[in-house]
Amino acid sequence: MLVALFFCGFTAQAQQCEGGLYLNPQVIRGEGASQTESALKELVDFIRPTGLSVTPVLNIRETQDVLTAVKKPAPPCWVYGNPVVGLASGYRPVAVNMDPIQSAVLILADIGTVKDGKPVELKTLPAADQAKVLAKLKTTSCFGMKSGVTTSLVKAESICGTVVEILPQQGLGQSYLPTKAAFHWQADRWAGLITRLQSAQAASMRATTAPMSVSIWRNW
């Protein structure tokens, strides 16, 4: 999901602002409290270095929530959501990019001999093996979130034979992607999972019934 950071441009006569508003997709999809809290913590950690107030952070669902909050004695300093919510509320869009997004394709490849094998980065393989993996990947279906940043990056590079964009499922979100890739995989057919580099590096095959070797495509 592509999101933009908005904060309010106040005049000299404007009152002091505090905290912000968050269009939290985890809340809208009905995900568990732990996932919602984790997402909120990541957002606060992301915004705090900008110097903007991060207390309180309130969940919103629609533009009207923002319009109501703006009328309070201490309006929110910022709105984190989609452009419609921000611009329709009169907030000015500002791009804040603190860390580059590093995409990776986690490949469910051939059946291996090591149980719970860890991902192996492509660059660590011999040149001949790298060429084989890249050629095979050209015939492989890779699964990513629809309109996701990592999905867009992988599509732009034309690394996979086919990029299948998955719509968020109720209460699941990105956690549904490994399931889609696993069901697509067969002994003679690889499957790719588009994700962030950090997630790919931390991947585990512990939950699978048969051990498989996995490889990571380079990061962008």
Side-chain angles (χ1 to χ4, degrees), residues 29 73 95 110 146 160 181:
R29 292 196 298 263
D110 301 324
K146 184 174 179 59
C160 302

Side-chain angles (χ1 to χ4, degrees), residues 9-101:
F10 295 103
T11 64
Q13 292 77 27
Q15 295 172 303
Q16 180 69 33
C17 66
E18 63 179 21
L21 305 179
Y22 178 25
L23 184 69
N24 188 340
Q26 281 84 2
V27 173
I28 295 175
R29 292 196 298 263
E31 297 184 17
S34 61
Q35 291 174 282
T36 302
E37 292 172 3
S38 176
L40 177 58
K41 181 181 182 302
E42 290 183 7
L43 174 65
V44 170
D45 290 343
F46 173 75
I47 292 179
R48 183 178 285 115
T50 68
L52 294 171
S53 171
V54 293
T55 304
V57 178
L58 305 177
N59 287 318
I60 59 176
R61 289 180 176 271
E62 54 188 22
T63 304
Q64 185 57 49
D65 295 337
V66 184
L67 296 176
T68 300
V70 169
K71 298 176 181 178
K72 294 181 178 180
C77 300
W78 50 269
V79 178
Y80 192 95
N82 59 48
V84 175
V85 170
L87 295 176
S89 306
Y91 278 61
R92 180 163 58 93
V94 176
V96 177
N97 186 9
M98 299 170 58
D99 297 304
I101 294 178

Side-chain angles (χ1 to χ4, degrees), residues 101-104 145 148-155 194-196:
I101 294 178
Q102 296 177 297
S103 301
M145 298 303 297
V149 176
T150 52
T151 302
S152 298
L153 290 172
V154 172
K155 286 183 66 176
I194 300 173
T195 182
R196 293 199 178 204

